[in-house]
Amino acid sequence: MPAPETPEARHDADSGASDAFDPRSAATQRTLIGRCLELAARAEDDGDVPVGAVVVAGDGTVLGTGSNTRERDVDPAGHAEINALREAAAVRGSWQLADCTLAVTLEPCPMCAGAIVLSRIRTVIFGAWDEKAGASGSVFDILREPRLNHWVEVHPGVREPECAAQLRSFFADRLR
């Protein structure tokens, strides 16, 4: 297994970002979810639920990546989104990520949706819906809750079949 990338190395490698970064573009969304699928595979290699996330600045620069690490780190908050947000905040030197987009393979849960709102993420792109614990439009809609002080633009179902298949395969293997 290759050594994990440091946030600084990944930031340098990905800093050839384009001024034309548009999180509403279908091509951009598909590309971001593709990166998340790769990160999710890392979580699965560690015996964790395969979920991957990436935080991208307004200019397209990758600020943070994450995968689930609950099992590896024995951390109930070790969700892909939390890990990506933490890394992005560290790289940026601020918890406020107001111009950023977060992409993730699975609809964020209530904990992650709360962290997304509190970090002021502008846009969330996700793959598979989570009909049991989703908090971005399925069970709850924390990201667009009108009583909160920040609302997030949500783009669901990007590469949904691939994201859902990765999760189904993981859980099917556990039942054998």
Side-chain angles (χ1 to χ4, degrees), residues 38-53:
E38 294 168 6
L39 293 162
R42 288 187 191 173
E44 187 169 10
D45 290 344
D46 288 339
D48 230 313
V49 176
V51 178

Side-chain angles (χ1 to χ4, degrees), residues 22-106:
D22 179 8
R24 292 183 175 131
S25 155
T28 297
Q29 292 176 4
R30 291 185 57 77
T31 299
L32 290 174
I33 293 296
R35 176 70 173 122
C36 293
L37 285 162
E38 294 168 6
L39 293 162
R42 288 187 191 173
E44 187 169 10
D45 290 344
D46 288 339
D48 230 313
V49 176
V51 178
V54 62
V55 175
V56 183
D59 67 357
T61 302
V62 174
L63 297 176
T65 62
S67 56
N68 275 359
T69 58
R70 291 185 315 166
E71 298 297 331
R72 186 191 76 196
D73 296 347
V74 192
D75 178 5
H79 287 205
E81 301 95 311
I82 299 296
N83 292 328
L85 288 169
R86 286 178 175 154
E87 189 174 284
V91 167
R92 171 126 333 147
S94 173
W95 60 267
Q96 295 187 45
L97 303 170
D99 69 325
C100 295
T101 295
L102 182 141
V104 61
T105 54
L106 180 64

